[in-house]
């Protein structure tokens, strides 16, 4: 009871979650259980935040947080744009973590929410990881043109980010998959020279670039036997 009074007097749930996260979570659960017939939707969302706000939460926490957010939203709670972006990220995480058991609902829902937030308001999030997550959702949805647009936005907006070699590689790989080998080559070369990207060595990148040259020649009916000499 004394702890409850202390939390209530603070008037700031963010402070409560940061300083006494475990106790705060139990407090929220107790409040919801005590009012099960008429739950406070804002508390449901706050409980969802305890699952999603931690930077290193697992996929089970993402599932629980998404469920709580969606439950409150379905019953009329108005999520703000940042909460919608957080929910989009949670749905994407759920879809990616389930492997063969993944349900397309999570991917579709993530894309819809990202469209409502990041696409509608590009200045909403200054976190490059969230934008990369959006690009991956678009690629998984088959929207490669839109994903390329997101990569271009990231390269301009987050200039100087140490992850740029990776984004250049993703951009090049996406263009290569679309058969745009000349454009892909520029990004792959830049990725190799500024990186190389994560998980790849210089030799790996040279092989990928050579393969790209070979595919371009084959498409034109002009096989390039010297593609691998570099």
């Amino acid at each position: 009871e004394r702890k409850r009074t202390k939390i209530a007097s603070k008037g700031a749930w963010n402070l409560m979650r940061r300083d006494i996260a475990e106790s705060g979570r139990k407090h929220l659960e107790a409040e919801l259980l005590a009012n099960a017939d008429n739950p406070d939707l804002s508390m449901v969302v706050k409980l969802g935040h305890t699952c999603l706000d931690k930077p290193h939460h697992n996929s089970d926490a993402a599932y629980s947080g998404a469920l709580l957010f969606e439950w409150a939203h379905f019953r009329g709670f108005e999520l703000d744009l940042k909460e919608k972006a957080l929910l989009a990220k949670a749905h994407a995480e759920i879809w990616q973590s389930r492997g063969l058991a993944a349900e397309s609902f999570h991917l579709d829902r993530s894309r819809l929410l990202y469209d409502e937030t990041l696409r509608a308001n590009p200045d909403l999030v200054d976190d490059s990881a969230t934008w990369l997550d959006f690009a991956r959702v678009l690629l998984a949805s088959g929207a490669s043109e839109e994903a390329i647009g997101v990569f271009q936005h990231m390269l301009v907006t987050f200039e100087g980010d140490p992850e740029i070699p990776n984004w250049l590689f993703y951009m090049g790989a996406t263009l290569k998959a679309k058969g745009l080998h000349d454009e892909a080559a520029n990004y792959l070369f830049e990725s190799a020279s500024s990186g190389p990207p994560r998980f790849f060595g210089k030799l790996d990148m040279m092989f990928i670039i050579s393969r790209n040259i070979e595919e371009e020649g084959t498409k034109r009916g002009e096989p390039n036997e010297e593609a691998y000499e570099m």
Side-chain angles (χ1 to χ4, degrees), residues 39-49 68-84 87 109 113:
D40 183 338
L41 296 181
S42 65
M43 283 196 172
V44 174
V45 172
K46 286 166 185 171
L47 184 57
H49 272 288
L68 289 162
F69 269 39
E70 293 286 14
W71 191 89
H73 183 61
F74 181 75
R75 284 158 179 76
F77 186 88
E78 195 65 38
L79 298 171
D80 63 32
L81 288 177
K82 288 195 173 182
E83 286 172 333
K84 285 185 176 181
L87 179 56
R109 182 66 170 146
L113 288 164

Side-chain angles (χ1 to χ4, degrees), residues 89 114 118 122-133 153-154 157-158 161 167:
K89 191 174 181 67
Y114 273 137
L118 298 191
D123 296 327
L124 177 68
V125 175
D126 59 1
D127 171 26
S128 62
T130 300
W131 280 96
L132 179 59
D133 192 60
H153 170 81
M154 293 170 65
T157 305
F158 302 105
D161 193 295
W167 307 341

Side-chain angles (χ1 to χ4, degrees), residues 28-39:
L28 284 167
E29 291 170 350
E31 288 287 346
L32 291 171
L33 288 171
N35 299 280
D37 294 332
N38 186 28

Side-chain angles (χ1 to χ4, degrees), residues 151-225:
F151 287 134
Q152 290 172 331
H153 170 81
M154 293 170 65
L155 290 169
V156 171
T157 305
F158 302 105
E159 187 179 0
D161 193 295
E163 293 292 312
I164 281 181
N166 299 322
W167 307 341
L168 290 167
F169 176 75
Y170 301 149
M171 182 77 155
T174 303
L175 290 166
K176 180 176 179 294
K178 290 177 66 63
L180 302 173
H181 297 90
D182 282 343
E183 294 178 52
N186 295 328
Y187 288 98
L188 293 173
F189 268 117
E190 194 173 348
S191 175
S193 61
S194 62
R198 188 184 300 118
F199 305 128
F200 290 91
K202 291 282 187 181
L203 185 60
D204 298 315
M205 288 303 298
M206 288 300 100
F207 180 85
I208 293 170
I209 292 168
S210 298
R211 176 63 177 157
N212 184 65
I213 295 171
E214 181 186 41
E215 288 181 5
E216 174 65 8
T218 301
K219 185 176 71 173
R220 293 178 177 176
E222 304 171 357
N224 191 334
E225 297 179 358

